[in-house]
Structures are given as structure tokens and as C-alpha cells.
Amino acid sequence: MKTKRNIIQIDEELCDGCGNCIVSCAEGALEIVDGKAKLVAEKYCDGLGACLGECPTGALKVIERDADDFDEEAVEHHLEATKKAEAPAEPAMACGCPSAQIRTFDAPTPCQRANEPVAQTSAQSALRHWPVQIRLVPPNAPFLKNADLLVAADCTPIAYPDFHRDFLEGKVVMVGCPKFDDAQGYIEKFAGIFTHASIKSVTVVAMEVPCCGGLPMIVRRGMQLAGKNIPMEQIIISTQGEVLRKEKLVA
């Protein structure tokens, strides 16, 4: 049944697909489709406009028009369905997919490094655990305990050639895409991690493109949800693989 009420309106000419509005919409009423924010269904939008302040281009506004009633029960079902669809694997069973099995790797010893012939010296991986995808890492993964956490947009290791040496060494890494992944699920995932894992510091490495702006926001929301104030740094990488800036962030 349609009634005249407040509801979100999206100007696709202004929308750059950054995804910040997705993070701020607790009802999951918005999603990115073909690089633009879309309203999933009128009944999921409460019309309160929590997403407006997160839009850097002013593409969102609340208008009054005929629309389906806001349906809180439908929202709950929608969020539950979304959560199940995006559900990460819990700590992998012995018979589970190898991609989700929790593993830790030993760093080469100083002796091993010293004995490597100079002519054969090659770059060493700084990765010391598995898995690395945000959706696959359980909040209680043992390698998270007391870790310095590196949260990276999944394009950054490709764009930045010395990712392992400059960012990953000595850290636990989690990678994901703030544009295409489940932002609300990630907020809840980081809230669980910050609540239980005694994280010492967080470094967020993101690309300069607008859609990557959602990544530090996701981490901050998770920190706020957990009631933590953990030292946090943001590093922005250009599409040409250069460090554009480093800055301290406040949760």
C-alpha cells in the first residue's frame, strides 16, 4: 500500500558510486548497481536520511512522495538474508575449504636469511597467517590477538609494488573491497574483532578513488560499535602506485 511519506531520492548524475551511503544505511535499503547507488525497495527506506551526510557529492535527498510503507519486519528479513548471503566461513573445519582454513606461517630465521646466496636473494613474503579476506577471518582468529592490524583495500597490493615491505611486515592483514562487499557485515566483523582481540593499532591502506573512502569509515564504525579508541592511521595510494598521504585518524 502506497502512502505519501518521506523517502530517499538519488540523483544518478551526481552519484559517483563511492558507497559511503551504503555504510550509513542501517536498513540495507541502498546498494551499488553498475557504479551507482540504488534504492533496493521502498519498504526498506525509513525516510530519516541517515545516509545524506555521508554523500560527498550531494546526490541524496529526502523527498515526500507516494511510496510503499516502511516495513520494519521486512527490513529485518532483508538484513538477515543479506547477512546469510555474505556470511563468511567460521573457523574452518578440518574438512572445509582450504581457502578458509586458519593458518600461521613462520618468518624466515636470521640464519636462513643470512645463508641465502646474494645472487639468489629474492623478495620475502611478509604474510604470516591465513585467511586474509575480511569475510573469511573470524573475530576469534588466534593471529588477531594483540596484533597490529593492517586493513587494506584489495586493489592496494596490486597498485603498490612494495606492499609487503612497507606495510605488511609485522602486521596482521585483512583485505576487502568497500564498494562491492557487505559494508554492514564488515562493521559488525570489526566490532567483534575490536571487542575480543586486543588490537594494538590499525593501519588502513586505501586507493585514492572515491569508493575506497568507505574503508576507513567501516573500520571507525566497528571501533565505535565496540566502544574502543585504538590508534589508527590512514594511507592513501594513487593508481600509479605512489603514497599520496598518511594521516592519523580519530575513531
Side-chain angles (χ1 to χ4, degrees):
M1 177 180 176
K2 290 187 181 295
T3 58
K4 189 174 287 295
R5 69 178 184 90
N6 288 340
I7 192 166
I8 198 70
Q9 178 173 277
I10 304 164
D11 185 335
E12 293 193 3
E13 293 296 320
L14 296 178
C15 178
D16 63 4
C18 70
N20 289 353
C21 57
I22 310 298
V23 178
S24 62
C25 181
E27 292 76 23
L30 300 172
E31 64 180 14
I32 300 297
V33 178
D34 296 331
K36 301 287 183 180
K38 305 281 187 181
L39 181 62
V40 177
E42 293 177 344
K43 63 184 177 182
Y44 299 151
C45 177
D46 59 11
L48 297 179
C51 54
L52 299 185
E54 306 296 348
C55 180
T57 65
L60 304 178
K61 64 180 179 181
V62 173
I63 64 168
E64 186 178 60
R65 67 170 173 82
D66 289 334
D68 292 335
D69 286 334
F70 174 64
D71 188 335
E72 190 170 350
E73 185 175 347
V75 168
E76 291 178 2
H77 291 160
H78 169 57
L79 293 175
E80 186 64 26
T82 302
K83 191 173 183 179
K84 286 181 179 178
E86 299 288 343
E90 293 300 324
M93 305 292 288
C95 58
C97 173
S99 68
Q101 290 181 335
I102 295 174
R103 290 180 285 171
T104 57
F105 314 128
D106 294 330
T109 65
C111 184
Q112 287 173 321
R113 290 182 184 274
N115 287 334
E116 185 175 8
V118 174
Q120 297 178 14
T121 298
S122 59
Q124 296 281 345
S125 171
L127 184 64
R128 298 289 172 259
H129 63 88
W130 192 264
V132 298
Q133 285 286 338
I134 297 173
R135 68 178 63 190
L136 294 177
V137 176
N140 61 349
F143 53 74
L144 287 169
K145 195 70 175 176
N146 299 315
D148 291 301
L149 181 62
L150 174 65
V151 181
D154 51 12
C155 294
T156 55
I158 299 171
Y160 190 80
D162 295 318
F163 185 88
H164 282 236
R165 185 196 65 191
D166 292 353
F167 303 139
L168 182 54
E169 186 74 45
K171 294 185 175 66
V172 165
V173 64
M174 297 175 70
V175 301
C177 177
K179 183 171 184 176
F180 295 116
D181 296 345
D182 172 21
Q184 185 59 38
Y186 281 3
I187 291 172
E188 295 170 7
K189 171 65 68 73
F190 282 115
I193 290 171
F194 295 137
T195 298
H196 300 294
S198 301
I199 296 296
K200 294 190 295 185
S201 69
V202 181
T203 302
V204 179
V205 183
M207 300 298 297
E208 63 176 328
V209 294
C211 54
C212 257
L215 191 58
M217 184 184 305
I218 287 171
V219 176
R220 283 204 304 269
R221 291 286 177 83
M223 208 177 287
Q224 291 165 354
L225 199 59
K228 302 289 185 179
N229 187 13
I230 301 168
M232 183 172 166
E233 181 182 35
Q234 174 179 270
I235 301 172
I236 302 299
I237 305 297
S238 76
T239 53
Q240 297 299 307
E242 301 167 324
V243 174
L244 294 180
R245 67 178 185 276
K246 297 182 178 181
E247 56 187 346
K248 303 292 183 184
L249 300 180
V250 178

